[in-house]
Amino acid sequence: MEKFIENLPKAELHLHIEGTFEPELMFKIAQRNNIEIPFASVEEIQAAYAFDCLQDFLDIYYQGANVLIHEQDFYDLTYSYLEKCALQNVRHTEIMFDPQTHTDRGISFETVITGISKAMQDAKDNLNVSSLLIMSYLRHLSEEEAFKTLEASLPFKHLITAVGLDSSEKGNPPAKFKKVFEASVKEGYIPLAHAGEEGNADYVWEAIDILGIKRIDHGNNSLQDSKLVEEIVKRDIALTVCPLSNTALQVVDDLKNHPLKKMIALGLKVTVNSDDPAYFGGQINKNFIEIQKALDLSKKEIYELCENSFTYSLLDDQTKDNYLSELNQSYAKNN
Ligand code: ADE
Ligand code: ZN
C-alpha cells in the first residue's frame, strides 16, 4: 500500500510555503542572515512543535518566517519544497504564500514573489513539477491591510492565480473580507479560503455565499450542518483536507476519528494535503499513508483522492486531462 501511494501521480492543493520551512534550512538561512533564533539546535526546534490549537502553531510559524529576508531565501525555501514534491510523485502543486508576514517586516512584495516564482520556474524546467501561486490574506489583520496587499500584488498579477484567507479563524469570519474578495475577483484572482478548521459551519456558509469561494481549505466543521453539506455537494466545491495538520492542531483527537471517510460517504469531493509539513510531522505521502492506515482506505479510494486532486486543481482542462491520464496509467499498472 505504501509503495502504491508513493507511486501514484498526485497534486497538492493546500500547502503554505512558509509551513515547509524545515529546521535545518531555518538554521542555515538564520546563520547566513545573522539572525538569532531562540533555539540552540534542530532538536530544540522540533521539541517546540507541540501545539494545543491553531494559534499556538501560528505564533511559532510566524516567528520561523522572520529569518526570510532575501530573494535567495524565498527561492531556497520554495525549491527545497518542490524537490520533495518530485520525490513523492506530486506532479502539480498550488502554493499559498502569506505576503503580509513579510511585507510587515519591511521585506518588499517583489523580493518575496520573485524568489518564489524563480524556484517554481526552475522546478518546472528541472524537476517537471508544475505549480501555481495562491496569495493568502491574513485574517487576523484588517480588511484595509488586505486591500494594501491586493494593491501591492497588481504589478505581479501574471504570477498569481488565486487569493486565499488564512491565519486565526475564530473571531475573524469570512464576511470581514467581503469587499477585498470582490475586488480580488475583479482583478481576475480565483477566490479560495480556509473555513471550518476551528470556526463553525457558519464560517463555511459565509465563505461560499459571501466570498464565493471555489474550494474550501479544511472544511471539517461543514459536517455540523447537513444543509451546508448538501449545498457544497450541489455546487461541486472540493475540500482540501489535511489529516496530520488536524491531529497536530487538535482539530481531530485521533486519525481514527478523522471525518474524511464520512465526508466521502456524504458525496463531498475531498483531497489530501500536508498544509505545513515541516510543522505537522509529514509531507503529503505521509498524510496519505497515515490516513489510509487509520481509516482502512482502499486502493480505489486512494486513487479517487488523487483523481480529485487534479480535477479540483485550478489548471486548465487540457492540462488536467493530461495529468489524469498519467494517473490512470499508473493506477492500471500498480493496482
Ligand atoms: N496558516 C498556515 N497554516 C494554517 C492553517 N492550518 N490554518 C490557518 N492558517 C494557516
Ligand atoms: Zn492551511
Side-chain angles (χ1 to χ4, degrees):
M1 183 57 91
E2 289 191 16
K3 272 271 156 287
F4 171 78
I5 288 171
E6 284 160 11
N7 284 336
L8 278 187
K10 55 189 77 73
E12 178 146 67
L13 305 184
H14 184 159
L15 181 283
H16 303 264
I17 199 62
E18 294 87 354
T20 68
F21 208 2
E22 297 289 345
E24 290 79 3
L25 185 61
M26 199 182 289
F27 261 109
K28 192 171 143 190
I29 294 181
Q31 245 159 27
R32 77 184 184 207
N33 288 344
N34 268 321
I35 293 175
E36 290 273 345
I37 53 173
F39 303 104
S41 64
V42 166
E43 291 72 28
E44 259 190 42
I45 296 188
Q46 279 160 344
Y49 293 175
F51 312 112
D52 287 332
C53 61
L54 175 59
Q55 192 58 52
D56 219 23
F57 152 71
L58 289 169
D59 292 343
I60 288 201
Y61 160 87
Y62 294 130
Q63 197 179 20
N66 281 343
V67 309
L68 300 162
I69 308 280
H70 304 291
E71 184 185 307
Q72 187 68 43
D73 304 339
F74 291 94
Y75 179 95
D76 290 349
L77 175 70
T78 308
Y79 201 77
S80 162
Y81 162 65
L82 289 161
E83 282 178 324
K84 294 192 181 76
C85 287
L87 292 172
Q88 298 182 95
N89 273 317
V90 173
R91 303 283 295 106
H92 171 72
T93 176
E94 310 205 329
I95 299 177
M96 276 181 263
F97 75 118
D98 292 339
Q100 289 157 296
T101 299
H102 314 297
T103 52
D104 283 3
R105 300 181 287 115
I107 314 297
S108 76
F109 194 101
E110 180 173 13
T111 297
V112 178
I113 199 163
T114 307
I116 296 174
S117 300
K118 281 186 182 168
M120 289 164 64
Q121 185 58 51
D122 285 352
K124 182 69 203 147
D125 297 342
N126 305 331
L127 308 169
N128 201 23
V129 175
S130 66
S131 54
L132 55 80
L133 264 185
I134 302 164
M135 172 175 78
S136 288
Y137 300 122
L138 296 180
R139 68 201 304 160
H140 67 274
L141 301 178
S142 68
E143 186 177 51
E144 194 189 338
E145 293 292 329
F147 263 110
K148 284 187 203 154
T149 304
L150 172 61
E151 199 63 34
S153 78
L154 297 180
F156 309 97
K157 209 159 114 172
H158 57 291
L159 300 173
I160 301 168
T161 303
V163 288
L165 187 63
D166 63 2
S167 190
S168 323
E169 188 179 12
K170 280 189 190 161
N172 297 298
K176 177 177 163 187
F177 296 93
K178 179 178 190 286
K179 292 200 189 82
V180 77
F181 265 67
E182 277 168 8
S184 303
V185 169
K186 276 208 186 104
E187 295 296 346
Y189 297 140
I190 297 168
L192 312 173
H194 284 55
E197 181 185 20
E198 283 191 346
N200 61 28
D202 291 348
Y203 281 47
V204 184
W205 273 119
E206 284 190 12
I208 63 170
D209 277 348
I210 298 177
L211 304 186
I213 61 167
K214 305 297 176 207
R215 208 160 65 200
I216 302 167
D217 290 319
H218 296 294
N220 298 43
N221 289 338
S222 307
L223 300 193
Q224 293 169 347
D225 181 342
S226 57
K227 278 230 155 54
L228 173 61
V229 170
E230 248 174 61
E231 196 57 34
I232 296 171
V233 171
K234 199 167 97 190
R235 295 193 205 177
D236 199 25
I237 299 173
L239 270 52
T240 63
V241 168
C242 308
L244 293 177
S245 163
N246 289 162
T247 46
L249 301 185
Q250 325 256 355
V251 167
V252 172
D253 64 349
D254 190 304
L255 273 191
K256 286 199 162 38
N257 300 324
H258 195 283
L260 179 135
K261 215 166 173 168
K262 200 165 163 201
M263 290 167 169
I264 296 172
L266 289 166
L268 291 163
K269 299 298 180 188
V270 177
T271 67
V272 168
N273 310 271
S274 68
D275 203 2
D276 302 284
Y279 293 88
F280 300 149
Q283 307 289 325
I284 188 170
N285 281 354
K286 179 118 186 272
N287 275 271
F288 267 103
I289 289 165
E290 296 296 321
I291 197 71
Q292 186 280 325
K293 275 194 229 152
L295 303 181
D296 194 25
L297 299 176
S298 66
K299 284 188 173 176
K300 178 146 184 292
E301 284 169 317
I302 298 291
Y303 161 80
E304 284 167 356
L305 291 165
C306 292
E307 186 182 37
N308 288 344
S309 74
F310 293 118
T311 304
Y312 293 91
S313 73
L314 305 177
L315 291 165
D316 62 78
D317 288 345
Q318 181 59 56
T319 313
K320 280 185 194 179
D321 284 349
N322 293 344
Y323 280 132
L324 285 166
S325 45
E326 208 182 299
L327 170 66
N328 289 336
Q329 278 170 28
S330 169
Y331 184 53
K333 217 166 59 190
N334 288 299
N335 189 23

